[in-house]
Amino acid sequence: LIVENLDGSPMILESRADPGNHWVSIALEGAATNKLALNARVRVTTGSIEQLGEVRSGGSYLSQSDLTLHFGLGTAEEIDKVEVMWPGSTTQIFTQIPANGFYKLKQGGPLTPVATRAKVISALP
């Protein structure tokens, strides 16, 4: 990621994840009246640890929060339970989800892994 600063030279940021820790990212798509799944909540349980994320929009001036929910799982290689609480009191539950992946969930459908390999088309000179 390259960040252009108003005062000073650009910064180049590189992700260097600890291979001993695991993660999961979940993108939600709601029903026709709430396609962005705003206010949907996701609870991820690994062992005795529970994390709760909520899809929120906005941020600050000229910015936008990521609508994909990201969870750090520590050393857990699998998620025991994913609970998705959709606005309007509908809940979906999924169990034994593998870590280290991106998932997509359309309201009422299955939790589906998403291919994450992106091909670089061009590089900066």
Side-chain angles (χ1 to χ4, degrees):
L1 176 67
I2 298 175
V3 178
E4 178 63 47
N5 294 304
L6 291 175
D7 296 328
S9 60
M11 295 185 311
I12 299 175
L13 306 175
E14 179 182 5
S15 176
R16 295 184 184 169
D18 180 352
N21 291 319
H22 303 282
W23 56 275
V24 68
S25 292
I26 302 173
L28 301 177
E29 181 182 332
T33 57
N34 185 9
K35 285 287 228 190
L36 296 178
L38 297 176
N39 300 318
R41 293 181 179 183
V42 175
R43 179 178 293 127
V44 171
T45 305
T46 54
S48 63
I49 298 173
E50 287 187 0
Q51 298 179 64
L52 182 66
E54 181 175 347
V55 179
R56 294 184 216 142
S57 180
S60 64
Y61 180 70
L62 295 177
S63 70
Q64 169 65 41
S65 298
D66 190 353
L67 299 176
T68 302
L69 300 175
H70 309 279
F71 299 92
L73 306 176
T75 58
E77 296 179 3
E78 183 177 78
I79 302 166
D80 298 325
K81 182 166 58 170
V82 173
E83 297 173 80
V84 181
M85 294 151 281
W86 298 98
S89 74
T90 311
T91 300
Q92 288 181 267
I93 298 175
F94 305 92
T95 58
Q96 279 133 358
I97 305 300
N100 302 328
F102 292 93
Y103 291 87
K104 182 172 182 167
L105 174 62
K106 189 171 183 177
Q107 189 169 359
L111 185 62
T112 308
V114 176
T116 60
R117 302 279 181 203
K119 183 177 181 182
V120 176
I121 296 172
S122 65
L124 295 174

